Amino acid sequence: MGTTQLETVPEPKYWHLRTVLSEALDTEFTVGEILPNERDLAARFGVARATLRQALEQLELEGRLQRRRGVGTTVAPPRMGVAVGTEQHAWPGGAGDDWQPVDATPEVPPAGVAAALETGADEAVHLVRRSLTTHGQPVAAELLYVAVGAVPELAAIDTSAGAARARAVLRELQRLELEGRESAVELGSARADDARQLDRLPGAPVLVVTTRYFAGGRTVAVSVATYRADTCRLTFGDSGGVEVHPDPQPQAS
Amino acid sequence: MGTTQLETVPEPKYWHLRTVLSEALDTEFTVGEILPNERDLAARFGVARATLRQALEQLELEGRLQRRRGVGTTVAPPRMGVAVGTEQHAWPGGAGDDWQPVDATPEVPPAGVAAALETGADEAVHLVRRSLTTHGQPVAAELLYVAVGAVPELAAIDTSAGAARARAVLRELQRLELEGRESAVELGSARADDARQLDRLPGAPVLVVTTRYFAGGRTVAVSVATYRADTCRLTFGDSGGVEVHPDPQPQAS
DNA sequence: AAGTGGTCTAGACCACGTG
DNA sequence: ACGTGGTCTAGACCACTTG
């Protein structure tokens, strides 16, 4: 180590800043504490505000910070674990399912969902909207598409309103035997309506979980659930969905 | 619907741009096609380059675009499905596992991993590095921490090198009976070394999958796998990991 | 009204890949 | 050498929350 390698590959300022701030968060700040405002921080580090913001954006993406317009930037608590894909609530709306039904209406699903449900291009299905709140904070919004053929009993109670109707659809689903399930997780950005429900701005990063439910040899329901990527860690597995360790998990950065 | 609501809540320019570009990608471009460069595009839409870039960033995050410094911006193919958490390859390195062993060394794991493995704070474990490539493109990098007590046979062949040593650790793992597994998915940003492996810049969005492997009543291994969030859709479920539908899945945006 | 984060501009220079 | 995307600046104004 004779010659100290100074900057053969100089890293970007915002990346270095991210590292410095990250370490400061670990050692000098506590959860919930308010950081100095962006203009002050930028001045303190001798960079333009845009550069500082780039570093803050990274940290927010990683769930270390929470920024709110008009309020300020605070140190975020560790991400909360949210159980998905565990056996305990095979059908949506079953026991131990914390989702809140919002409403249900007939809708023509997007093309991808229609293909999975094997419905016609302009054929309406039940659309159940639900939301998930943990520790008083909105965490996820779900669109659950249910083929009309799967819940034939619903024609009779067609007149029920909002959340009651949503509960009726979910109740009918429980009567079917679930043969299998298949989920996919990908990164997306919140649409305007999702953003409002999740208390974020449009474009905020979200984890989109798409789940197909199989019964009677076909796909009877498709769920598209949108989770706040900054505050959530999605857990899968055989442990029943309980938090085994509330400690922060190893991070990629 | 008498008065058409013009702009009660004017959406940001970059968001509107994102929508316009997104529609253009659907109708006027084909996968792999090169877009005009950022300066031209910005001029064409009458916005500053920074604003245009904000829109492109969104689209890249959503897996619609691929940008490469020195080259240009191209239309990305639909995200590829990558099977994780399916029964078929219970232990890492089993049959039907496409991961490539890179090397294996003794390392002191990060605190979170050490806690899960119930090792001492400064105690070394086996660290196996693996990478996953699909369709010629690097897709994921994994750090697999294996408790030394779980694979006692390895002491004898301690001298083997790189990938051979990695394979040896994986081979020993197969001899244990897997009792359970537990995974979590969260959003992260690529560290410098991950970024290099994944052919991205530092800070690129990644999906971090943390998996604990249980055997003999305790956690014997912990895997931290880092997937490119722009190109991957992680699939879970009972379908054996095959792509049921190669069509694009319903998107959140 | 004051202070915060969010958006936007018009420029400059740098790092990288390709010809 | 050139063209690309990536970084950075110094400013302005807007949207929002709070006292």
Side-chain angles (χ1 to χ4, degrees), chain A residues 60-63 77-84 99 132-134 137-141 198 205-207 209 226-235 243 251, chain B residues 184-188 207-208:
Chain A
E60 191 179 26
L61 197 79
E62 294 166 24
R79 282 187 176 133
M80 56 186 97
V82 182
V84 296
W99 288 82
L132 180 61
T133 301
T134 311
Q137 200 185 205
V139 154
L198 299 177
V206 290
L207 295 172
V209 181
T226 299
Y227 295 80
R228 283 184 59 155
D230 54 344
T231 56
C232 291
R233 189 174 74 244
L234 307 182
T235 65
E243 286 281 290
Q251 256 284 18
Chain B
V185 182
E186 61 187 317
L187 181 58
L207 296 171
V208 182

Side-chain angles (χ1 to χ4, degrees), chain A residues 20-231:
Chain A
V20 171
L21 286 170
S22 179
E23 284 163 6
L25 290 181
D26 287 332
T27 61
E28 300 170 32
F29 287 87
T30 62
V31 167
E33 199 172 343
I34 304 176
L35 268 64
N37 73 52
E38 298 183 348
R39 290 160 179 91
D40 285 354
L41 276 179
R44 181 175 315 187
F45 286 103
V47 299
R49 189 176 155 219
T51 304
L52 174 84
R53 278 180 61 81
Q54 220 174 332
L56 294 184
E57 260 149 42
Q58 287 280 341
L59 291 168
E60 191 179 26
L61 197 79
E62 294 166 24
R64 305 286 312 271
L65 291 180
Q66 193 155 355
R67 300 194 287 172
R68 266 178 302 180
R69 165 151 54 177
V71 180
T73 302
T74 56
V75 180
R79 282 187 176 133
M80 56 186 97
V82 182
V84 296
T86 350
E87 303 86 333
Q88 67 166 6
H89 53 306
W91 280 114
D97 182 338
D98 293 331
W99 288 82
Q100 294 298 318
V102 176
D103 69 354
T105 57
E107 298 279 350
V108 177
V113 174
L117 292 176
E118 298 173 50
T119 62
D122 294 328
E123 196 175 334
V125 302
H126 299 290
L127 169 54
V128 178
R129 295 185 189 80
R130 301 196 301 164
S131 69
L132 180 61
T133 301
T134 311
H135 303 132
Q137 200 185 205
V139 154
E142 181 196 48
L143 301 178
L144 176 67
Y145 299 90
V146 181
V148 287
V151 287
E153 307 299 328
L154 273 189
I157 50 173
D158 208 40
T159 55
S160 60
R165 184 175 171 78
R167 276 187 289 270
V169 175
L170 295 172
R171 201 181 318 120
E172 289 302 311
L173 267 186
Q174 315 295 325
R175 303 163 57 129
L176 298 174
E177 192 190 355
L178 182 63
E179 287 167 358
R181 215 167 51 158
E182 192 182 284
S183 300
V185 182
E186 61 188 315
L187 182 57
S189 46
R191 289 189 321 260
D193 50 348
D194 287 327
R196 218 175 310 115
Q197 276 189 67
L198 299 177
D199 191 25
R200 301 260 61 196
L201 294 174
V206 290
L207 295 172
V208 182
V209 181
T210 309
T211 306
R212 300 174 55 175
Y213 294 88
F214 303 107
R218 57 191 222 84
T219 303
V220 296
V222 173
S223 154
V224 181
T226 299
Y227 295 80
R228 283 184 59 155
D230 54 344
T231 56

Side-chain angles (χ1 to χ4, degrees), chain A residues 13-24:
Chain A
K13 272 190 192 177
Y14 79 90
W15 186 255
H16 181 242
L17 206 48
R18 185 209 76 109
T19 308
V20 171
L21 286 170
S22 179
E23 284 163 6

Side-chain angles (χ1 to χ4, degrees), chain B residues 12-14 39 47-51 54 69-71:
Chain B
K13 272 190 192 177
Y14 79 92
R39 291 162 179 86
V47 300
R49 190 176 157 221
T51 304
Q54 219 174 331
R69 164 151 56 177
V71 181

Side-chain angles (χ1 to χ4, degrees), chain B:
Chain B
M1 301 289 188
T3 63
T4 310
Q5 186 164 309
L6 278 171
E7 284 285 359
T8 41
V9 179
E11 62 185 358
K13 272 190 192 177
Y14 79 92
W15 186 255
H16 182 242
L17 248 186
R18 186 208 76 109
T19 308
V20 171
L21 286 170
S22 179
E23 283 162 6
L25 290 180
D26 288 331
T27 62
E28 301 169 31
F29 287 88
T30 62
V31 167
E33 197 172 344
I34 303 177
L35 268 64
N37 72 53
E38 297 183 348
R39 291 162 179 86
D40 285 355
L41 275 179
R44 183 175 314 188
F45 287 104
V47 300
R49 190 176 157 221
T51 304
L52 175 85
R53 278 180 60 81
Q54 219 174 331
L56 295 183
E57 261 149 42
Q58 286 280 341
L59 291 169
E60 192 180 26
L61 196 80
E62 294 166 26
R64 305 286 312 271
L65 292 179
Q66 192 153 358
R67 300 194 285 172
R68 268 177 301 178
R69 164 151 56 177
V71 181
T73 303
T74 57
V75 181
R79 283 190 176 128
M80 57 185 96
V82 181
V84 296
T86 350
E87 301 84 336
Q88 68 169 3
H89 52 307
W91 280 115
D97 183 339
D98 295 330
W99 288 83
Q100 295 297 317
V102 175
D103 70 354
T105 57
E107 299 280 349
V108 176
V113 174
L117 292 176
E118 297 173 49
T119 63
D122 295 328
E123 195 175 336
V125 301
H126 299 290
L127 170 54
V128 178
R129 294 184 190 79
R130 302 196 300 164
S131 70
L132 181 62
T133 300
T134 310
H135 304 129
Q137 198 185 206
V139 155
E142 181 196 48
L143 301 178
L144 177 67
Y145 299 90
V146 181
V148 287
V151 288
E153 307 298 329
L154 274 189
I157 50 174
D158 209 40
T159 56
S160 61
R165 183 174 171 76
R167 275 187 288 270
V169 176
L170 294 172
R171 201 182 317 119
E172 288 303 311
L173 265 187
Q174 314 294 324
R175 303 162 58 132
L176 298 174
E177 191 190 354
L178 181 63
E179 286 167 357
R181 213 166 52 158
E182 192 183 284
S183 300
V185 182
E186 61 187 317
L187 181 58
S189 45
R191 289 189 320 258
D193 51 347
D194 288 327
R196 218 176 308 114
Q197 276 190 67
L198 299 176
D199 189 26
R200 300 259 61 196
L201 294 174
V206 290
L207 296 171
V208 182
V209 181
T210 308
T211 306
R212 301 175 58 175
Y213 295 89
F214 303 107
R218 57 191 220 85
T219 305
V220 296
V222 173
S223 156
V224 181
T226 300
Y227 295 80
R228 281 183 59 154
D230 55 344
T231 58
C232 291
R233 189 176 71 244
L234 307 182
T235 64
F236 293 80
D238 317 316
S239 69
V242 264
E243 286 281 290
V244 180
H245 276 293
D247 355 79
Q249 294 291 310
Q251 254 285 18
S253 41

